């Protein structure tokens, strides 16, 4: 988006705060107007049983070295406090307030602190008639369980995240959950989203979801495990037709460009999604994660668009 000088927005997700973070110098060198967290700004140590553990992880992480660049965004499951966590997480209100305090620096009277349904919000950059609207969804606070509840948060199971991925993959292969109708967003957030998109005058729209929307990969968390909700989101985008709409997502520890299969979209709709994940780590590394990640990429590729490196 150009208004005189280019308007740049940088974004990413999944920072393990104790690992090296050379990425910030590269981000700051681009002089972005905004840094957007797409989730997992930090990783608490062990199973979270108190808000103090979240505070400790934020203290370890500190602020990104962005030389004064404004910061906004949303949490995902780790900075929410529970792997694969959703509406039933007992510390979700603590997670909301801490994210708004430690990451966003939201004012005390921000509606994002008290509104039903979580910390969703929006902001507009640039000046009329060429503006960029950033619409940030909370896909944790009101999200119900998967058709088979995820074991990802089981504290007594080693590598529970792998078990969760296997569970989701098995459900997809067996057709379990193909008509799952549980919510990702509660009705208050849906109503807010409709208001944000209807008759928006912005020239371009970034729609932030911490988990992927268009992916066909069954092992990862995504809107695909909530098929009614994904259809509702895509239909809303087709109905309101925000100009220059682009989905942004994180979570999966790899980057990709996705396009919706034509059968998944309402007639006439076109949509792209950019996933940016793994600021400090990647799923293709490690003795276990590497082979599993490669297998997933080979088995579930229908959503993925080619890149110059493919």
């Amino acid at each position: 988006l150009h208004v005189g000088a280019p308007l740049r927005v940088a974004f990413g997700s999944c920072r393990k705060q104790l690992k090296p973070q050379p990425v910030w110098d590269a981000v700051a060198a681009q002089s972005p107007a905004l840094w957007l967290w797409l989730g997992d700004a930090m990783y608490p140590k062990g199973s979270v049983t108190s808000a103090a553990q979240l505070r400790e992880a934020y203290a370890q992480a500190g602020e990104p070295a962005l030389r004064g660049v404004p910061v906004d965004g949303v949490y995902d499951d780790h900075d929410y406090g529970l792997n694969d966590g959703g509406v039933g997480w007992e510390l979700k209100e603590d997670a909301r307030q801490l994210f708004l305090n430690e990451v966003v620096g939201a004012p005390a009277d921000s509606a994002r602190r008290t509104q039903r349904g979580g910390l969703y919000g929006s902001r507009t950059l640039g000046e009329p008639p060429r503006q960029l609207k950033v619409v940030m969804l909370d896909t944790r606070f009101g999200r119900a369980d998967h058709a088979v509840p995820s074991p990802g948060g089981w504290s007594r199971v080693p590598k529970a995240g792998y078990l969760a991925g296997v569970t989701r993959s098995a459900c997809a292969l067996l057709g379990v959950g193909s008509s799952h109708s549980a919510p990702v967003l509660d009705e208050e957030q849906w109503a807010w989203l409709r208001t944000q998109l209807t008759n928006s005058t912005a020239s371009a729209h970034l729609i932030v979801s911490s988990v992927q929307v268009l992916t066909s990969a069954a092992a990862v968390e995504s809107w695909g495990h909530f098929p009614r909700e994904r259809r509702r989101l895509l239909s809303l985008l087709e109905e309101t037709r925000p100009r220059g709409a682009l989905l942004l997502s994180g979570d999966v520890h790899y980057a990709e460009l996705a396009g919706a299969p034509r059968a998944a979209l309402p007639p006439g709709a076109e949509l792209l999604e950019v996933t940016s994940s793994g600021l400090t780590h990647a799923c293709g590394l490690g003795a276990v994660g590497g082979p599993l990640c490669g297998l997933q990429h080979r088995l579930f590729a229908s959503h993925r668009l080619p890149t110059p490196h493919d």
Side-chain angles (χ1 to χ4, degrees):
L1 184 67
H2 292 265
V3 184
L7 176 62
R8 296 188 177 96
V9 173
F11 52 89
S13 66
C14 305
R15 168 185 62 167
K16 290 189 174 181
Q17 64 272 17
L18 300 183
K19 286 182 174 288
Q21 300 174 43
V23 67
W24 299 123
D25 287 338
V27 173
Q30 296 299 314
S31 301
L34 180 68
W35 168 261
L36 272 176
W37 278 110
L38 309 181
D40 295 338
M42 56 72 173
Y43 286 69
K45 182 179 180 180
S47 177
V48 174
T49 58
S50 72
Q53 289 168 269
L54 299 177
R55 291 191 190 93
E56 180 183 6
Y58 279 125
Q60 290 174 334
E63 295 184 6
L66 288 173
R67 305 172 197 167
V69 174
V71 175
D72 212 329
V74 295
Y75 47 38
D76 196 38
D77 52 347
H78 292 285
D79 36 6
Y80 190 57
L82 180 67
N83 190 39
D84 296 356
V87 67
W89 175 225
E90 61 187 21
L91 295 177
K92 66 180 186 178
E93 191 56 60
D94 296 278
R96 166 164 57 173
Q97 300 305 327
L98 283 167
F99 185 88
L100 292 172
N101 287 343
E102 304 296 334
V103 178
V104 177
D109 61 352
S110 170
R112 299 176 73 182
R113 294 186 180 277
T114 56
Q115 65 196 6
R116 292 176 59 91
L119 52 63
Y120 53 90
S122 69
R123 65 189 296 162
T124 301
L125 305 175
E127 299 295 334
R130 298 183 62 81
Q131 292 181 307
L132 171 66
K133 190 171 192 177
V134 182
V135 180
M136 299 167 283
L137 304 179
D138 188 329
T139 64
R140 293 293 169 186
F141 204 89
R143 198 220 68 202
D145 282 337
H146 294 74
V148 174
S150 173
W154 292 358
S155 59
R156 297 185 180 182
V157 176
K159 300 294 183 180
Y162 290 122
L163 177 60
V166 170
T167 301
R168 286 189 287 268
S169 297
C171 287
L173 291 171
L174 296 172
V176 176
S178 59
S179 59
H180 192 43
S181 60
V184 174
L185 314 180
D186 65 13
E187 289 303 319
E188 288 80 8
Q189 188 171 178
W190 276 117
W192 169 86
L193 178 58
R194 175 175 289 277
T195 299
Q196 293 295 315
L197 299 178
T198 300
N199 299 323
S200 173
T201 60
S203 302
H205 296 75
L206 298 179
I207 301 169
V208 175
S209 169
S210 64
V211 296
Q212 291 184 308
V213 177
L214 303 180
T215 184
S216 61
V220 300
E221 284 198 278
S222 75
W223 286 70
H225 297 291
F226 299 83
R228 187 190 70 169
E229 290 287 273
R230 181 161 73 170
R231 288 193 298 270
R232 185 175 180 180
L233 177 62
L234 296 178
S235 293
L236 179 60
L237 291 171
E238 168 62 9
E239 176 188 343
T240 57
R241 288 187 171 273
R243 287 188 291 174
L246 179 68
L247 294 169
L248 302 181
S249 59
D251 178 55
V252 293
H253 304 172
Y254 53 84
E256 66 180 359
L257 178 63
R262 300 301 302 175
L265 286 173
E270 295 182 3
L271 194 61
L272 296 177
E273 177 178 356
V274 178
T275 299
S276 176
S277 179
L279 290 171
T280 57
H281 54 290
C283 83
L285 305 176
V288 176
L292 289 177
C293 190
L295 178 63
Q296 173 183 269
H297 288 336
R298 291 191 295 274
L299 291 177
F300 303 102
S302 63
H303 65 282
R304 192 172 302 118
L305 300 179
T307 69
H309 299 290
D310 291 338

